[in-house]
Amino acid sequence: MAITNEDNLKKIISHAKEYGYVFQSSEIYDGLSAVYDYGQLGSELKKNIKEYWWKAMVQMHENIVGIDAAIFMHPETWKASGHVDAFNDPLIDNKDSKKRYRADVLIEEYIGKIEAKNEKEAEKAQARFGDAFNREQFLATNPNVLRNQSKIDEINARFKACMNNDDLTGVKKLIEDLEIACPISGSKNWTDVKQFNLMFSTEIGSVSETANKIYLRPETAQGIFVNFLNVQKTGRMKIPFGIAQIGKAFRNEIVARQFIFRMREFEQMEMQFFVRPGEEMKWYEYWKNERIKWHQSLGIDQKYYRFHDHIKLAHYANAACDIEFNFPMGFKELEGIHSRTDFDLKQHEKHSGKKLQYFDTELNESYVPYVVETSVGLDRTFLAILSAAFQEQKLEDGSERTVLAIPAFLAPIKVAVFPLIKKDGLPEKAQEIINQLKYDYHCQFDEKDSVGKRYRRQDAIGTPFCITVDHQTLEDNTVTVRDRDTMEQQRVSISALETLFKEKFDVRKLLG
Ligand code: GAP
């Protein structure tokens, strides 16, 4: 059974640390809040996720190209994009616990509790009516559910109105009216709500008098927008086309908990798709569909994913939704898909004084393209994969194993090779096999402890296949190949290994 609750998040965090996936940053100095380092296996998994995304987005689309823009950008970029003025979160402090919260998150969590009540009602009814149960009909007609839903709608409407009118007093009043208490102190003794800008700043230039304040980018997207014409012209790109990028982003998050879910330094995989004005909704739907397909191609059960339409649209969007994932702490945003209109390009035209237009030869006219953006957090994808993969299994013989059932093509170590014993030429033969496979697959040699213990170690780090070299190998050049998920073993000729693994790690079908 895959995990679904906070206790299991703790297990995943300690497993990730124990096996070299994720460490707290600067741990010997007691760590740095909401900053993490990826260890020897974590960095491999991260690299594999990036490669898979890049393949799906860039390599598989002839009209999408990738770039790698700098983290530092001219400070005017962030005025143009609206981040200097509007990239704020509403924060509120509890006067008793002195803890700081995002006001919108407090309200969302309150709504989440009402949603959970509706879910419980549905589960109870399902148990009562069995196969005859019609969930949609139940949710649309049950009086308790309808009462709860109208409360949710009322809260959402009030919150949306407050945010649209910059009415922070109204947000505080909503928190008070809902009688939301601090989870730590239990008190309702709140400060006023204030806006807090999430961008980190630093100075560029070596002489303090002339140094300029610059920002660490809070999203990678702006590096794409400012390069729109460079790429379009040098790549002779024709609309519709996309520019993709993977890179670090930085946000001084107010609430920085939940492991690598919300970090102050993280990585995004973003793609801006430039389209004709008026065609953006068609492409918005297209990319919603493409992106959910990408997530589902990872082999994680579909029930872990859902779409969530935004109530409060970001300053640049005319339509937006999230792909949410059922993390150990519940359904949360994994990816954002936004129809960003021509906002960013027009703003950069205005602030730079340079034209950012496209001449459409079919229409025989110039225009500022509209943009549909897909933006997925690399670290959140990592956490989604890790949490769905983490399983504690009781086996038929009564023993237990912890296994990371990571999709084989993403696993950090693809193949482990064991000599049955440390003599009789078996280690040398195992090394020969590694030398044959290592050009294509990351392999690991292990000769310590019993083969059973070695299997457990590889299960725990998610290695999909283990090869054991034994005395028969020396006679007939065959080995056993053990499958992580089924634990079944088959005897295979060494000369057939490359073909076998080619098929096992093939992503062709997934990308189709
Ligand atoms: N360019 C659009 C943009 O940045 P966003 O919804 O703010 O949109 C996109 O961020 C994705 O980046 C999110 O869906 C999430 O996966 C990831 N992300 C955002 N903030 C993050 C944080 N503090 N830590 C980890 N990932 C984060």
Side-chain angles (χ1 to χ4, degrees), residues 238-241 273-283 339 341-342 358-365 367-372:
K238 281 208 156 60
I239 270 180
F241 74 91
F273 201 68
F274 299 90
V275 304
R276 274 185 191 158
E279 294 192 353
E280 70 276 12
M281 291 321 285
K282 177 180 92 183
W283 289 109
S339 171
T341 67
D342 55 1
Y358 171 80
F359 181 71
D360 192 321
T361 46
E362 275 176 39
L363 299 180
N364 202 23
E365 66 178 67
Y367 53 78
V368 176
Y370 270 45
V371 172
V372 174

Side-chain angles (χ1 to χ4, degrees), residues 64-278:
I64 300 182
V65 291
I67 63 164
D68 184 11
I71 287 170
F72 290 139
M73 299 182 70
H74 192 286
E76 194 64 25
T77 308
W78 305 109
K79 286 213 183 103
S81 68
H83 284 80
V84 170
D85 294 324
F87 195 53
N88 303 318
D89 275 342
L91 72 81
I92 188 165
D93 292 317
N94 183 269
K95 289 185 193 161
D96 297 315
S97 67
K98 310 269 182 266
K99 284 279 168 202
R100 178 157 283 188
Y101 296 93
R102 265 175 62 178
D104 55 330
V105 171
L106 286 179
I107 293 165
E108 264 169 32
E109 283 174 356
Y110 184 90
I111 289 174
K113 283 186 192 145
I114 309 179
E115 282 173 341
K117 278 189 199 162
N118 280 354
E119 197 45 50
K120 271 229 164 77
E121 292 277 358
E123 277 169 20
K124 271 196 301 192
Q126 162 95 59
R128 216 171 335 129
F129 296 114
D131 285 347
F133 180 65
N134 181 333
R135 187 182 155 89
E136 259 173 40
Q137 194 188 351
F138 176 82
L139 293 178
T141 53
N142 179 273
N144 289 344
V145 171
L146 290 179
R147 205 174 315 111
N148 286 338
Q149 191 54 48
S150 82
K151 187 158 188 203
I152 292 173
D153 295 343
E154 192 193 315
I155 297 169
N156 274 333
R158 253 182 89 179
F159 180 61
K160 189 177 172 189
C162 290
M163 294 312 284
N164 285 345
N165 298 325
D166 273 334
D167 176 11
L168 298 180
T169 316
V171 176
K172 182 180 180 190
K173 177 93 177 44
L174 180 57
I175 289 173
E176 286 170 343
D177 289 351
L178 297 175
E179 300 190 357
I180 295 175
C182 165
I184 311 257
S185 66
S187 96
K188 296 167 197 154
N189 195 6
W190 297 108
T191 61
D192 288 341
V193 178
K194 281 186 287 202
Q195 289 288 20
F196 176 79
N197 192 286
L198 299 185
M199 281 198 294
F200 283 102
S201 63
T202 184
E203 287 180 352
I204 196 162
S206 55
V207 185
S208 61
E209 300 84 68
T210 56
N212 268 324
K213 181 175 176 182
I214 55 163
Y215 298 98
L216 273 73
R217 65 181 179 199
E219 61 171 11
T220 60
Q222 298 304 324
I224 293 179
F225 287 122
V226 299
N227 278 299
F228 158 70
L229 265 195
N230 281 340
V231 174
Q232 190 272 319
K233 290 217 155 86
T234 56
R236 293 177 292 121
M237 307 302 290
K238 281 208 156 60
I239 270 180
F241 74 91
I243 306 178
Q245 172 164 228
I246 300 177
K248 291 265 183 175
F250 304 83
R251 295 182 190 177
N252 199 0
E253 297 284 359
I254 298 168
V255 181
R257 286 192 290 263
Q258 298 170 330
F259 193 38
I260 55 173
F261 178 80
R262 195 177 302 287
M263 303 203 286
R264 295 201 162 108
E265 174 180 342
F266 57 100
E267 248 174 294
Q268 291 184 315
M269 305 190 283
E270 298 201 298
M271 193 275 301
Q272 319 297 133
F273 201 68
F274 299 90
V275 304
R276 274 185 191 158

